Amino acid sequence: MAQKITIEPVTRVEGHGKVTIHLDDNHQVTESRLHIVEFRGFERFVCGRPFWEAPVLVQRLCGICPVSHHLAAAKAMDMLVGAGDGNGLTPVAEKMRRLMHYGQIFQSHVLHFFHLASPDLLFGIDADPAQRNVIGVIMEHTELAKQAVLMRKYGQEIIAATAGKKIHGTGAVPGGINKNLSLEDRDAFLNGINGNPDLSADKMIKWAEAAIALLLDYHSSHTEFLDGFAAFPSNHLSLVRPDGALDLYHGVIRAVDPEGKRIVNDVDSRDYLEVVEEEVRSWSYMKFPYIKELGPKKGWYRVGPLARLNVCDFIPSPKAQAAFEQFRAYTKGKPNSMSMHYHWARLIETLHAAEVMKELLLDPDLQGTDLVTKGERCGEGIGLLEAPRGTLFHHYQVNEQDLITMCNLIVSTTNNNEPMNRAVNAAAVAQMTGKAEITEPMMNAVEVAIRAYDPCLSCATHAMGQMPLEVTLYDAAGAVLDQQRKGM
Amino acid sequence: MSETIETSSEIITLTIDGQEIQAAAGQTILQAAQKNGIYIPTLCALHATKENGLESDIAPGTCRICTVKVNGRTMAACTTPVAQGFVVENDTEELNDLRKTIVELLFVEGNHFCPSCEKSGSCDLQALAYRYQMLSPRFRYAFSSREVNAESPKLLFDRNRCILCRRCVLAIRTEDGKQLFGFTKRGDKSGIIMDEELVKNISEEQAQQAMHICPVGAIIRKEKGFDTPFGQRKYDQNPIGSETVCTTCNGEKS
């Protein structure tokens, strides 16, 4: 008898989602879907507001990566006020924004790996849920947990010093930034916040290197799991610096196919509508973007750390570059399509962010006083950047009275919608085919596949396994055959 | 109802919260309190300073946040002249709860989205909400449908945030004394209208003054959003009510 399994909500991700897995009469998985059940509406309710509010308003999309939305919107506003497209700001404004952004990348990646993902890796995806959570990590791996807390704190303090607050700051303004970095802050970040050497730039680099070593050590003993779990070929898309370097703040749009062939060749970010289109499906509030030229069937792509390392040619910081070369060598230079390797790529980016932050802190431009640039006003602004979870598109049109008339946001997780659905299906096929009984580890396996993408479905974090989880079996007629609940 | 205050040299003695103070005849309770370093909250009344460019204090008496008890009766401190022997209650649990209620009503009546407001951190209404520890309003939101007027090249008038305090009506005028803002309609239909022709030609200084005088984020200088970083906004260092009050200027422009 055909069945439908529902996992709702998905836990240890940012926001609320629901998974349904459809089984046929022989308990074979026929279809899997990740439903995004929240409606946000930011694109509509920013309309009618003055354009300079946008960077502050749209960052309320998220409490984990508000900086990314703040900066993407600010980049769009730069265009509006005639401050160029990622190249017209004063050095202090551009570098302060970059410092803010790399602080954001650093803290978000650390949060994801240690807080959300590490319980699965350290204890196993089938471990007791009572242990498989961040409290379990603190109890069993105390030193690692302390490092994670301090690393995240460092990134958050960088954000506070550049944006004014750790969450929902106001640092970036149309055409620039509203403050520079004080010498006192600079010295604290270089030598240790509040005199604590564990909160210094060098310690962040050292701990980021250690995190990569930890993952590689885990990989050596769990190769089959990390390489095979929810792995499938895909296209990959990200911004890169025009010379091919990894650049998380600004660049041109590039995409490669599963073989590494360039399918979007360094397109100006202002021309994003020539590259991507979005499809709407009836069962989800989240759209499905795809590369326009390839169409929805073949044009879907992954974004985020894995995609970025598949797309770029090199990383412009030495330690991360060395780690990148090892990463690339593992797939012999071809794009890496193993979903669980998102974690590896994420940690390489964490190291890169730590290196970039130190480099920026040593740059005297951060103490400059020329904060804002303006030029000829226009009616349209487009801002793209690489958020922790992937490419972020912000597009606004403004009328002559300075009020926003159109807004289009393609957020990172939207870009990963199709891949996450495929990852769910791959996990479901592996875990549930032929099984008549649902177990907690099966459900968690599906979540692990989603979690690898670090999806941000909204602003809520459910980190301690306390969120209710419901799995329901339906027959073909929709009658409930079985129901499992936890945390309810 | 007085809008500007005339004072004389006659000395009046009164008490506020048990403290005996002296004031000039013709001063309001609010002015007497300010002169003696006693805080009474205001949203519509405004003391003239160099910063706000006012020639004299204004006291429209519209918001009633300054309500005190005078010899047991509730009165607006900004419109009630002092009199010999007044016993004024000000900083009491009952009155502060009443003030909190007024703040809550102002929040539910408009559409104040503080997080995206340029005036956040420098907003008197928001600062009073913090002072009276408003966590969430006791009343249902009205979700009023309000317009944003962005026709002026220099000013944005966001009616969603307007609390009808009347400061702009009284304070913002052209050099030849014409009003730029005025009241329209009555009761819950009341609103502020702008003389669009006059506002179109407003000077840079007047635009800045209009934004400064507005106690909330209803009048915003265009294209200047969020250029004051956290830590440097009006109430970042000291909450409202903790400012040092001039006790030696005798109410003159400081």
Side-chain angles (χ1 to χ4, degrees):
Chain A
M1 184 177 290
Q3 294 175 326
K4 185 168 83 171
I5 300 170
T6 305
I7 301 175
E8 182 186 11
V10 177
T11 58
R12 275 194 279 140
V13 297
E14 276 71 73
H16 296 258
K18 180 174 92 169
V19 171
T20 56
I21 300 159
H22 301 257
L23 305 178
D24 66 13
D25 292 348
N26 301 317
H27 295 291
Q28 303 295 307
V29 174
T30 56
E31 189 178 10
S32 309
R33 290 172 174 175
L34 170 63
H35 304 253
I36 306 304
V37 294
E38 295 167 318
F39 177 70
R40 302 288 282 160
F42 272 76
E43 289 168 325
R44 185 65 189 90
F45 64 66
V46 298
C47 289
R49 300 306 307 170
F51 71 79
W52 57 89
E53 275 188 10
V56 175
L57 208 156
V58 295
Q59 67 179 334
R60 257 77 191 179
L61 272 159
C62 183
I64 299 293
C65 56
V67 170
S68 307
H69 291 285
H70 181 58
L71 288 175
K75 287 178 74 179
M77 299 312 137
D78 294 344
M79 272 182 71
L80 273 167
V81 299
D85 166 43
N87 54 7
L89 301 185
T90 65
V92 57
E94 159 134 13
K95 288 172 185 176
M96 279 292 283
R97 284 193 190 181
R98 280 183 177 273
L99 182 61
M100 190 194 303
H101 186 49
Y102 282 84
Q104 155 71 10
I105 293 278
F106 188 74
Q107 70 85 15
S108 177
H109 280 2
V110 167
L111 170 74
H112 178 80
F113 181 72
F114 289 104
H115 197 152
L116 304 180
S118 77
D120 295 321
L121 304 179
L122 293 170
F123 303 116
I125 64 171
D126 54 354
D128 181 355
Q131 183 191 35
R132 198 189 60 219
N133 57 53
V134 70
I135 300 298
V137 175
I138 292 167
M139 301 297 283
E140 294 286 323
H141 305 273
T142 308
E143 279 309 307
L144 194 66
K146 275 187 193 169
Q147 278 182 25
V149 169
L150 292 175
M151 288 170 86
R152 181 145 194 265
K153 177 178 173 60
Y154 189 87
Q156 292 284 52
E157 294 291 348
I158 287 275
I159 294 170
T162 49
K165 283 203 305 179
K166 291 174 185 169
I167 300 171
H168 300 153
T170 60
V173 296
I177 196 90
N178 67 11
K179 63 179 293 197
N180 63 10
L181 189 74
S182 69
L183 287 169
E184 187 185 15
D185 279 344
R186 181 201 67 180
D187 293 344
F189 288 125
L190 284 171
N191 304 320
I193 300 167
N194 296 327
N196 181 356
D198 279 345
L199 284 168
S200 65
D202 285 331
K203 190 54 78 83
M204 294 306 119
I205 294 171
K206 187 180 167 194
W207 282 346
E209 285 183 285
I212 296 174
L214 175 77
L215 185 86
L216 291 178
D217 182 53
Y218 180 85
H219 183 250
S220 65
S221 55
H222 298 79
T223 310
E224 194 180 339
F225 167 60
L226 281 189
D227 291 2
F229 188 85
F232 51 87
S234 72
N235 303 313
H236 300 270
L237 181 144
S238 86
L239 298 179
V240 288
R241 207 164 71 183
D243 64 357
L246 179 75
D247 192 324
L248 303 175
Y249 177 73
H250 190 65
V252 291
I253 306 169
R254 182 186 285 185
V256 297
D257 73 6
E259 295 303 310
K261 183 187 159 202
R262 207 80 62 88
I263 50 177
V264 175
N265 194 13
D266 296 359
V267 173
D268 190 306
S269 61
R270 288 169 292 189
D271 298 326
Y272 86 99
L273 283 175
E274 292 174 16
V275 175
V276 295
E277 253 180 10
E278 298 174 87
E279 186 184 26
V280 175
R281 295 182 194 169
S282 61
W283 45 269
S284 177
Y285 278 121
M286 197 150 73
K287 293 178 186 173
F288 290 79
Y290 56 90
I291 294 167
K292 201 170 175 176
E293 197 176 329
L294 299 177
K297 290 271 187 282
K298 293 182 178 173
W300 59 273
Y301 53 85
R302 291 196 242 215
V303 297
L306 188 70
R308 288 192 284 253
L309 295 203
N310 284 331
V311 167
C312 75
D313 298 328
F314 66 99
I315 298 181
S317 66
K319 291 176 189 295
Q321 170 63 15
F324 172 69
E325 286 167 13
Q326 190 181 4
F327 175 86
R328 269 291 172 86
Y330 192 71
T331 52
K332 300 182 172 55
K334 295 279 187 187
N336 184 331
S337 288
M338 296 171 257
S339 293
M340 293 303 283
H341 286 213
Y342 259 100
H343 297 303
W344 187 1
R346 190 171 289 118
L347 291 174
I348 293 171
E349 285 191 342
T350 306
L351 175 58
H352 173 57
E355 290 183 284
V356 170
M357 285 191 290
K358 183 180 178 185
E359 186 186 326
L360 285 166
L361 288 167
L362 292 169
D363 190 329
D365 278 348
L366 285 182
Q367 280 75 50
T369 54
D370 192 4
L371 304 181
V372 176
T373 312
K374 285 190 181 169
E376 192 176 339
R377 260 287 308 275
C378 68
E380 191 159 23
I382 295 169
L384 273 62
L385 97 169
E386 286 296 328
R389 291 152 190 85
T391 316
L392 185 54
F393 303 73
H394 277 227
H395 182 186
Y396 305 86
Q397 286 171 353
V398 173
N399 66 16
E400 288 178 354
Q401 284 78 44
D402 294 344
L403 302 181
I404 295 168
T405 55
M406 188 285 293
C407 170
N408 187 36
L409 309 174
I410 309 176
V411 306
S412 315
T413 299
T414 309
N415 288 304
N416 271 333
N417 200 357
E418 180 69 32
M420 285 194 297
N421 272 278
R422 288 179 184 254
V424 164
N425 197 57
V429 168
Q431 295 286 325
M432 298 186 178
T433 297
K435 305 280 173 62
E437 187 187 1
I438 305 165
T439 64
E440 198 281 337
M442 285 179 188
M443 293 189 284
N444 191 50
V446 172
E447 291 188 40
V448 166
I450 299 167
R451 218 172 277 141
Y453 292 80
D454 188 13
C456 185
L457 307 182
S458 82
C459 313
T461 304
H462 315 294
M464 295 176 62
Q466 296 298 313
M467 280 295 290
L469 175 67
E470 183 175 310
V471 180
T472 310
L473 280 180
Y474 295 95
D475 65 16
V480 176
L481 298 176
D482 188 18
Q483 199 166 52
Q484 297 287 332
R485 290 178 174 179
K486 67 176 184 183
M488 294 178 78
Chain B
M1 186 184 297
S2 68
E3 291 176 351
T4 57
I5 310 298
E6 296 296 327
T7 61
S8 78
S9 56
E10 185 192 346
I11 299 301
I12 302 285
T13 302
L14 68 156
T15 66
I16 300 181
D17 291 334
Q19 179 186 342
E20 188 173 289
I21 64 167
Q22 293 189 321
Q27 279 188 324
T28 62
I29 295 171
L30 175 67
Q31 286 173 319
Q34 284 174 338
K35 186 191 167 198
N36 286 276
I38 297 169
Y39 177 69
I40 298 176
T42 62
L43 281 169
C44 65
L46 190 59
H47 179 57
T49 63
K50 277 182 190 165
E51 202 182 13
N52 62 34
L54 287 181
E55 294 294 326
S56 57
D57 293 0
I58 56 171
T62 52
C63 76
R64 303 285 153 163
I65 196 83
C66 67
T67 297
V68 291
K69 276 195 171 177
V70 181
N71 298 341
R73 292 180 61 199
T74 51
M75 313 279 273
C78 76
T79 58
T80 307
V82 291
Q84 195 66 37
F86 265 6
V87 177
V88 179
E89 295 171 63
N90 166 46
D91 189 13
T92 67
E93 196 176 326
E94 180 194 0
L95 286 167
N96 286 335
D97 188 58
L98 186 65
R99 290 162 181 166
K100 183 180 178 183
T101 307
I102 292 171
V103 171
E104 291 176 31
L105 286 166
L106 290 170
F107 268 104
V108 299
E109 191 266 345
N111 302 308
H112 299 267
F113 188 64
C114 298
S116 75
C117 180
E118 155 66 2
K119 208 67 178 282
S120 184
S122 302
C123 170
D124 291 358
L125 181 67
Q126 183 192 52
L128 285 171
Y130 281 120
R131 180 179 177 88
Y132 296 117
Q133 300 180 350
M134 187 192 93
L135 298 177
S136 64
R138 282 167 277 185
F139 311 101
R140 292 182 65 182
Y141 281 96
F143 297 110
S144 316
S145 180
R146 305 270 184 85
E147 286 175 9
V148 174
N149 186 327
E151 294 293 322
S152 162
K154 292 198 179 70
L155 286 182
L156 176 97
F157 183 58
D158 188 344
R159 293 189 171 91
N160 290 293
R161 300 168 182 155
C162 180
I163 58 170
L164 301 173
C165 70
R166 211 171 167 217
R167 277 189 192 180
C168 57
V169 176
L170 296 175
I172 313 298
R173 290 171 186 265
T174 59
E175 283 183 7
D176 55 351
K178 290 178 186 162
Q179 283 187 203
L180 295 170
F181 297 87
F183 263 123
T184 180
K185 300 186 181 170
R186 298 177 67 82
D188 65 352
K189 303 287 189 299
S190 298
I192 295 286
I193 48 169
M194 286 197 300
D195 185 317
E196 291 188 2
E197 278 308 305
L198 290 179
V199 170
K200 219 174 259 180
N201 300 314
I202 197 170
S203 69
E204 191 71 35
E205 293 71 26
Q206 273 187 315
Q208 204 61 44
Q209 187 200 17
M211 178 171 171
H212 184 81
I213 279 176
C214 179
V216 290
I219 301 175
I220 294 287
R221 176 74 184 86
K222 269 191 170 178
E223 296 186 28
K224 296 285 279 183
F226 305 98
D227 53 352
T228 306
F230 283 101
Q232 295 175 28
R233 301 171 309 169
K234 191 173 173 185
Y235 298 117
D236 281 346
Q237 299 296 326
N238 299 301
I240 195 167
S242 63
E243 63 269 26
T244 304
V245 176
C246 175
T247 57
T248 57
C249 68
N250 295 321
E252 291 171 9
K253 192 174 173 184
S254 57

